[in-house]
Amino acid sequence: MTDLLQEGITVVEDIYKERQPVGDLKAIYFISPNEKSVDCVVKDFKSKSSCKYKAAYIYFSDVCPDSLFEKLKSCQPKTIKRCKEINISFFPKESQVFLLNVPEAFHLLYSPDKSVDKVSAMKSIAQQIVTLCATLDENPGIRYKRDSLDNAEDLANLVEEKLVHYYQTDERNQCKEKSQSQLLILDRGFDPVSTVLHELTFQAMIYDVLPIENDVYKYKPDGATSKDKEGRLDESDELWVKIRHRHIADVLEEIPKLVKEISSTKRETQGKLSISNLSNLMKKMPHIRKQISKQALHLSLAEDCMRKFKGNLEKLCKVEQDLAMGTNAEGQKVTEYMRVLLPVLLSKDVGNYDKIRAILLYIFMENGTTQESLDRLIQHVKIDSDGDVLKNWKYLGVSIVPKSSQRKPPRRDRSREETFQLSRWTPMIKDIIEDNIENKLDSREWPYCSECPAAWNGSGAVSARQKHNTLNREDRKTVSKLIIFVIGGITYSEIRCAYEVSRANKFVQVIIGSTHIITPEKMLDDVKNLTKPHVPKETFTIMA
């Protein structure tokens, strides 16, 4: 809202709600091209005496059908000063992350309910992806991950069809040539492990274990007696950008160093660093209050994470990593997964959702289980009423009951990469991105819906720890974009992988997106609700 005020916008209102007329102000309408929104605009300028605003400047987030343009002609003459399609039917969450902000698509696309309008949801998602491509001025070659659900194939074909339509240039139906970019489309079931595993990198961890709402974290800067402060986690905070993808252990080392750099004196920060010490430092050195305030925010986040970690999380992470990797920290193969899982199930200190996450990792690694074993696990954790949280994964194409004989895809060898023992698992999306850059994706598993005009090669991937992406102006002109779209949600650990591969490859920029971002708890709730009736989410469009 502050940014809008700086641009001279004084009021932001919901177009669907009753609004008071402000006849001396011009209105900017940013709306979706649907009948409901256009009807609201027409109502605002129906007659000369009842015009709500002095004039209207209308911007559609997507392509507007001719029928809706015709409706606007019924508005009072000369009241509409501008009407434009701006093709931004997506949300740029971060510099390399985009969202469609349609979390309800998970239920629409995976629910077994045949009455759900899956086709309309797919068409809408496809159109939103096209607006992303249009904004980037890209006409990418498209590939999809073949699976049993066909969601990725259907969406890939829809996107290609709509891209052809969008880039038509004349009556001969000639289209804009394919650009040197690629779009990979995957269904959420491609990597269920990364959706439930506890992550110890900073961003993924805090969104999993701390109560972050709308990217806002509430904390007490001066201890329990002080008032709550709010800190927003976004890319306007340079420190957040610097540390968000680091391991929590590295973050706890990094923050004190930065505090000492800013204060430029070791005497001010001697002893153990705490929120209280930082508060005192701010009072002594008001000229660095803003920087220290950021340090306090992230130190508080890190300390809260470590309190969780020193509780049950450390032991839980060890079990999860052994289950996910199939080997222990010493590299020895796990032969009895149930023996690894049992201590978690028997612990009274571990909550039900954490037990469910561990059970799912066990089932994923076994490639499914028997109905008898599944029933025993449900009874053991006493989740009879919530058994769907385990069973419903089958609707994502994940083997639950019975065991699947299908072989799991091979993983890249990362045994030489430096890592923490409790963070050995690498999300499968990183393998896919690196294999694609090196032209190693199997065309039988990854069919082409459309190809780039030349062989797409990002010059090979290397470890993100060995090389950094430092581009000058000339280099940026030759950067190829690899756009990843995951149907049904992406995790923060998968987002981190996109940044890591981009940093490691000078001529490739990975842009990752989805219908929404998921945390483990959100994922479990969504899966559990797949067999329940869908409750449509109220949506609205902002008018300023």
Side-chain angles (χ1 to χ4, degrees):
M1 189 63 198
T2 303
D3 294 338
L4 292 175
L5 287 170
Q6 290 175 353
E7 297 297 329
I9 295 174
T10 55
V11 182
V12 177
E13 293 186 298
D14 181 351
I15 194 173
Y16 294 160
K17 294 180 180 177
E18 195 62 38
R19 290 162 280 120
Q20 293 298 315
V22 190
D24 58 336
L25 290 181
K26 299 173 183 177
I28 300 171
Y29 289 78
F30 179 59
I31 58 177
S32 301
N34 59 55
E35 196 163 354
K36 186 177 180 182
S37 295
V38 171
D39 284 344
C40 289
V41 177
V42 171
K43 184 181 176 183
D44 288 349
F45 296 93
K46 197 169 186 178
S47 65
K48 193 172 183 179
S49 59
S50 63
C51 286
K52 272 190 165 60
Y53 311 103
K54 188 176 181 179
Y57 295 78
I58 303 171
Y59 296 89
F60 289 108
S61 63
D62 205 339
V63 176
C64 183
D66 291 342
S67 59
L68 294 181
F69 272 119
E70 287 295 320
K71 272 197 167 191
L72 289 173
K73 291 181 180 179
S74 62
C75 291
Q76 277 296 298
K78 299 183 180 180
T79 52
I80 298 179
K81 301 297 184 183
R82 176 172 294 178
C83 193
K84 188 175 181 180
E85 299 164 339
I86 55 176
N87 289 309
I88 51 169
S89 190
F90 63 92
F91 176 65
K93 175 70 174 173
E94 293 179 5
S95 58
Q96 290 176 227
V97 182
F98 70 94
L99 302 175
L100 305 188
N101 274 355
V102 282
E104 61 272 17
F106 186 88
H107 192 282
L108 295 173
L109 298 182
Y110 298 115
S111 171
D113 185 356
K114 300 298 182 184
S115 66
V116 170
D117 191 357
K118 178 178 175 179
V119 174
S120 294
M122 290 287 266
K123 287 181 178 178
S124 177
I125 290 170
Q127 187 59 45
Q128 287 181 274
I129 294 174
V130 169
T131 68
L132 170 81
C133 295
T135 301
L136 296 174
D137 194 27
E138 298 285 357
N139 187 9
I142 302 174
R143 299 179 76 174
Y144 60 90
K145 177 74 168 69
R146 194 190 295 278
D147 58 40
S148 59
L149 299 183
D150 296 330
N151 282 339
E153 180 178 3
D154 292 345
L155 182 59
N157 287 324
L158 279 170
V159 172
E160 176 62 19
E161 177 187 318
K162 290 178 180 293
L163 277 172
V164 169
H165 177 74
Y166 179 81
Y167 282 121
Q168 278 183 334
T169 54
D170 56 31
E171 294 177 356
R172 292 174 295 174
N173 291 331
Q174 291 183 346
C175 296
K176 175 179 177 176
E177 291 185 356
K178 286 293 180 183
S179 52
Q180 291 297 327
S181 60
Q182 274 203 4
L183 168 62
L184 302 186
I185 297 178
L186 308 87
D187 223 330
R188 183 57 266 175
F190 83 99
D191 179 12
V193 172
S194 295
T195 66
V196 298
L197 197 71
H198 279 93
E199 258 270 348
L200 297 181
T201 50
F202 198 39
Q203 184 181 40
M205 187 178 186
I206 64 172
Y207 277 88
D208 183 8
V209 303
L210 300 182
I212 310 293
E213 294 184 16
N214 299 319
D215 300 323
V216 173
Y217 166 70
K218 293 181 179 179
Y219 66 105
K220 294 183 182 296
D222 297 323
T225 57
S226 63
K227 292 182 179 179
D228 281 352
K229 285 194 69 175
E230 290 187 351
R232 177 166 291 279
L233 305 175
D234 59 32
E235 292 190 328
S236 64
D237 180 352
E238 292 182 7
L239 177 57
W240 170 245
V241 173
K242 184 176 181 180
I243 65 176
R244 62 186 171 185
H245 298 142
R246 294 189 185 182
H247 194 277
I248 184 64
D250 290 336
V251 171
L252 285 167
E253 285 186 9
E254 180 74 11
I255 294 176
K257 290 177 184 177
L258 291 172
V259 172
K260 288 178 181 179
E261 286 176 15
I262 291 174
S263 65
S264 70
T265 171
K266 292 185 178 180
R267 285 180 300 175
E268 298 290 351
T269 54
Q270 279 181 347
K272 185 180 177 183
L273 190 66
S274 66
I275 302 297
S276 179
N277 289 343
L278 283 174
S279 178
N280 292 332
L281 183 60
M282 287 169 64
K283 293 170 184 174
K284 294 177 183 178
M285 307 177 74
H287 60 288
I288 60 165
R289 180 172 286 124
K290 185 176 180 180
Q291 295 98 317
I292 294 296
S293 178
K294 293 294 184 185
Q295 313 291 353
L297 164 64
H298 296 299
L299 182 62
S300 180
L301 279 166
E303 288 180 342
D304 282 354
C305 283
M306 286 309 295
R307 273 191 283 271
K308 296 279 187 180
F309 180 75
K310 290 175 181 177
N312 299 313
L313 195 53
E314 184 174 4
K315 292 179 181 178
L316 197 56
C317 284
K318 181 184 182 306
V319 170
E320 289 182 353
Q321 289 293 317
D322 289 355
L323 290 172
M325 297 296 294
T327 58
N328 60 23
E330 289 73 39
Q332 298 172 333
K333 187 175 181 180
V334 175
T335 55
E336 295 184 40
Y337 289 109
M338 184 54 72
R339 182 172 290 183
V340 176
L341 175 64
L342 206 55
V344 172
L345 301 185
L346 295 176
S347 175
K348 295 180 180 179
D349 298 325
V350 177
N352 263 11
Y353 259 38
D354 284 335
K355 289 181 180 181
I356 289 170
R357 290 165 71 169
I359 289 172
L360 283 168
L361 288 171
Y362 162 75
I363 295 173
F364 296 157
M365 288 312 298
E366 291 278 29
N367 221 5
T369 187
T370 63
Q371 186 64 54
E372 183 183 358
S373 295
L374 182 64
D375 291 340
R376 270 205 313 268
L377 288 168
I378 290 173
Q379 290 171 6
H380 194 92
V381 189
K382 299 178 181 178
I383 55 166
D384 300 70
S385 59
D386 290 334
D388 287 346
V389 77
L390 300 178
K391 299 173 185 176
N392 285 356
W393 284 85
K394 64 184 178 183
Y395 300 120
L396 277 72
V398 178
S399 299
I400 299 296
V401 174
K403 278 193 175 188
S404 172
S405 57
Q406 187 175 356
R407 294 181 63 184
K408 294 179 181 179
R411 299 300 308 270
R412 290 175 72 102
D413 181 13
R414 301 186 184 275
S415 58
R416 296 184 179 181
E417 292 184 10
E418 183 183 345
T419 187
F420 290 87
Q421 287 188 354
L422 298 184
S423 299
R424 288 172 284 135
W425 172 262
T426 299
M428 290 181 69
I429 198 78
K430 191 169 187 179
D431 288 6
I432 291 167
I433 295 170
E434 291 179 342
D435 284 348
N436 187 72
I437 289 172
E438 297 173 7
N439 287 324
K440 290 181 179 178
L441 287 184
D442 187 340
S443 59
R444 292 168 296 182
E445 293 292 320
W446 288 87
Y448 289 88
C449 186
S450 60
E451 295 193 47
C452 295
W456 198 88
N457 193 341
S459 303
V462 296
S463 169
R465 294 181 175 87
Q466 297 171 354
K467 182 178 176 183
H468 296 284
N469 186 3
T470 53
L471 299 178
N472 58 38
R473 185 173 297 178
E474 289 302 313
D475 286 337
R476 290 194 187 99
K477 296 177 183 178
T478 60
V479 169
S480 297
K481 291 184 176 66
L482 175 57
I483 306 168
I484 309 291
F485 184 79
V486 182
I487 304 169
I490 47 172
T491 67
Y492 283 104
S493 58
E494 290 166 338
I495 288 172
R496 169 176 53 82
C497 290
Y499 285 96
E500 287 176 347
V501 178
S502 293
R503 285 196 299 269
N505 294 273
K506 189 175 183 182
F507 297 105
V508 179
Q509 182 186 35
V510 183
I511 298 171
I512 191 167
S514 182
T515 47
H516 60 300
I517 291 178
I518 51 174
T519 59
E521 185 173 340
K522 169 67 175 166
M523 185 67 180
L524 294 181
D525 286 340
D526 286 347
V527 170
K528 182 172 66 175
N529 293 331
L530 280 177
T531 45
K532 296 178 181 178
H534 175 56
V535 180
K537 185 180 178 182
E538 182 183 356
T539 59
F540 64 90
T541 306
I542 293 297
M543 184 281 298

Short mmCIF file of all heavy atoms in Angstrom, two decimals, residues 1 35 41 45 57 79 132 142 183 213 235 239 268 294 362 390 487 523 542:
data_model
loop_
_atom_site.label_atom_id
_atom_site.label_comp_id
_atom_site.label_asym_id
_atom_site.label_seq_id
_atom_site.Cartn_x
_atom_site.Cartn_y
_atom_site.Cartn_z
N MET A 1 0.83 -1.20 0.00
CA MET A 1 0.00 0.00 0.00
C MET A 1 0.87 1.26 0.00
O MET A 1 0.53 2.26 -0.63
CB MET A 1 -0.91 -0.02 1.23
CG MET A 1 -1.96 1.06 1.22
SD MET A 1 -3.13 0.90 -0.16
CE MET A 1 -3.85 2.53 -0.21
N GLU A 35 -17.06 -11.80 -16.94
CA GLU A 35 -18.34 -11.09 -17.03
C GLU A 35 -18.68 -10.35 -15.74
O GLU A 35 -19.18 -9.22 -15.78
CB GLU A 35 -19.46 -12.08 -17.37
CG GLU A 35 -20.72 -11.42 -17.85
CD GLU A 35 -21.66 -12.38 -18.57
OE1 GLU A 35 -21.27 -13.55 -18.78
OE2 GLU A 35 -22.77 -11.96 -18.91
N VAL A 41 -17.97 -2.72 -13.72
CA VAL A 41 -17.52 -1.48 -14.36
C VAL A 41 -18.69 -0.77 -15.03
O VAL A 41 -18.86 0.45 -14.88
CB VAL A 41 -16.40 -1.77 -15.39
CG1 VAL A 41 -16.00 -0.47 -16.10
CG2 VAL A 41 -15.20 -2.40 -14.72
N PHE A 45 -20.65 3.19 -14.36
CA PHE A 45 -20.77 4.29 -15.35
C PHE A 45 -22.03 4.12 -16.22
O PHE A 45 -22.01 4.38 -17.40
CB PHE A 45 -19.51 4.33 -16.24
CG PHE A 45 -18.26 4.65 -15.49
CD1 PHE A 45 -17.46 3.64 -14.98
CD2 PHE A 45 -17.89 5.97 -15.26
CE1 PHE A 45 -16.31 3.93 -14.28
CE2 PHE A 45 -16.73 6.27 -14.57
CZ PHE A 45 -15.93 5.25 -14.07
N TYR A 57 -9.82 4.09 -16.20
CA TYR A 57 -8.68 3.55 -16.94
C TYR A 57 -8.67 2.05 -16.63
O TYR A 57 -8.37 1.65 -15.50
CB TYR A 57 -7.38 4.21 -16.51
CG TYR A 57 -7.33 5.69 -16.83
CD1 TYR A 57 -8.01 6.62 -16.04
CD2 TYR A 57 -6.61 6.15 -17.93
CE1 TYR A 57 -7.97 7.98 -16.33
CE2 TYR A 57 -6.56 7.51 -18.23
CZ TYR A 57 -7.25 8.41 -17.43
OH TYR A 57 -7.20 9.76 -17.72
N THR A 79 -16.28 8.32 -20.80
CA THR A 79 -15.87 8.07 -19.41
C THR A 79 -14.70 7.10 -19.34
O THR A 79 -13.87 7.19 -18.43
CB THR A 79 -17.04 7.50 -18.57
OG1 THR A 79 -17.60 6.37 -19.25
CG2 THR A 79 -18.10 8.56 -18.36
N LEU A 132 2.56 -15.33 -18.71
CA LEU A 132 3.95 -15.30 -18.24
C LEU A 132 4.90 -15.27 -19.42
O LEU A 132 5.82 -14.45 -19.48
CB LEU A 132 4.24 -16.52 -17.36
CG LEU A 132 5.72 -16.69 -17.01
CD1 LEU A 132 6.11 -15.78 -15.86
CD2 LEU A 132 6.06 -18.14 -16.68
N ILE A 142 8.26 -26.76 -25.55
CA ILE A 142 7.56 -27.32 -24.39
C ILE A 142 7.79 -28.83 -24.30
O ILE A 142 7.65 -29.55 -25.28
CB ILE A 142 6.04 -27.04 -24.46
CG1 ILE A 142 5.79 -25.53 -24.53
CG2 ILE A 142 5.31 -27.64 -23.26
CD1 ILE A 142 4.34 -25.16 -24.76
N LEU A 183 10.10 -24.74 -21.66
CA LEU A 183 9.12 -24.85 -20.59
C LEU A 183 8.93 -26.33 -20.28
O LEU A 183 8.57 -27.11 -21.16
CB LEU A 183 7.79 -24.23 -21.02
CG LEU A 183 6.56 -24.51 -20.14
CD1 LEU A 183 6.76 -23.95 -18.73
CD2 LEU A 183 5.30 -23.91 -20.77
N GLU A 213 2.59 -15.94 8.52
CA GLU A 213 1.33 -15.69 7.81
C GLU A 213 1.51 -14.56 6.82
O GLU A 213 1.92 -13.46 7.19
CB GLU A 213 0.20 -15.35 8.80
CG GLU A 213 -0.18 -16.52 9.72
CD GLU A 213 -1.36 -16.17 10.60
OE1 GLU A 213 -2.05 -15.17 10.29
OE2 GLU A 213 -1.59 -16.88 11.59
N GLU A 235 12.03 -9.69 -0.89
CA GLU A 235 13.32 -9.39 -1.51
C GLU A 235 13.75 -7.93 -1.36
O GLU A 235 14.81 -7.56 -1.84
CB GLU A 235 13.28 -9.79 -2.99
CG GLU A 235 13.20 -11.30 -3.16
CD GLU A 235 13.39 -11.76 -4.59
OE1 GLU A 235 12.99 -11.02 -5.51
OE2 GLU A 235 13.92 -12.87 -4.80
N LEU A 239 19.44 -8.78 3.36
CA LEU A 239 19.96 -9.86 4.21
C LEU A 239 19.16 -11.14 4.01
O LEU A 239 19.73 -12.24 3.94
CB LEU A 239 19.93 -9.43 5.68
CG LEU A 239 20.38 -10.49 6.69
CD1 LEU A 239 21.80 -10.97 6.38
CD2 LEU A 239 20.30 -9.94 8.12
N GLU A 268 31.07 -3.63 21.03
CA GLU A 268 29.62 -3.45 21.15
C GLU A 268 28.88 -4.79 21.12
O GLU A 268 27.74 -4.88 21.53
CB GLU A 268 29.10 -2.57 20.01
CG GLU A 268 29.67 -1.16 20.01
CD GLU A 268 29.14 -0.34 21.16
OE1 GLU A 268 28.23 -0.81 21.85
OE2 GLU A 268 29.64 0.77 21.38
N LYS A 294 17.03 -5.44 10.99
CA LYS A 294 16.97 -6.61 10.10
C LYS A 294 17.72 -7.78 10.74
O LYS A 294 17.28 -8.94 10.66
CB LYS A 294 17.58 -6.27 8.74
CG LYS A 294 16.79 -5.25 7.94
CD LYS A 294 15.44 -5.79 7.52
CE LYS A 294 14.70 -4.80 6.63
NZ LYS A 294 13.32 -5.25 6.32
N TYR A 362 8.23 -43.60 4.64
CA TYR A 362 8.40 -45.06 4.65
C TYR A 362 7.68 -45.69 3.45
O TYR A 362 8.25 -46.52 2.73
CB TYR A 362 7.87 -45.62 5.97
CG TYR A 362 7.58 -47.10 5.97
CD1 TYR A 362 8.61 -48.03 6.02
CD2 TYR A 362 6.27 -47.56 5.91
CE1 TYR A 362 8.34 -49.40 6.01
CE2 TYR A 362 5.98 -48.92 5.91
CZ TYR A 362 7.03 -49.83 5.95
OH TYR A 362 6.75 -51.18 5.94
N LEU A 390 -3.22 -40.45 4.19
CA LEU A 390 -2.29 -41.43 3.63
C LEU A 390 -2.83 -42.03 2.33
O LEU A 390 -2.13 -42.13 1.33
CB LEU A 390 -2.04 -42.56 4.64
CG LEU A 390 -1.43 -42.18 5.99
CD1 LEU A 390 -1.30 -43.41 6.88
CD2 LEU A 390 -0.07 -41.52 5.82
N ILE A 487 2.47 -28.56 -11.59
CA ILE A 487 1.03 -28.55 -11.33
C ILE A 487 0.78 -29.00 -9.89
O ILE A 487 1.27 -30.04 -9.48
CB ILE A 487 0.29 -29.51 -12.29
CG1 ILE A 487 0.59 -29.15 -13.75
CG2 ILE A 487 -1.20 -29.50 -12.03
CD1 ILE A 487 0.12 -30.20 -14.74
N MET A 523 0.24 -29.28 2.47
CA MET A 523 0.14 -30.40 1.53
C MET A 523 -0.69 -31.53 2.12
O MET A 523 -1.57 -32.10 1.46
CB MET A 523 1.54 -30.90 1.18
CG MET A 523 1.57 -31.98 0.12
SD MET A 523 1.03 -31.35 -1.49
CE MET A 523 1.18 -32.84 -2.48
N ILE A 542 -9.06 -6.22 -7.50
CA ILE A 542 -8.79 -4.92 -6.87
C ILE A 542 -9.02 -3.79 -7.87
O ILE A 542 -8.62 -3.86 -9.02
CB ILE A 542 -7.35 -4.86 -6.36
CG1 ILE A 542 -7.18 -5.85 -5.19
CG2 ILE A 542 -6.96 -3.46 -5.92
CD1 ILE A 542 -8.02 -5.53 -4.00
#
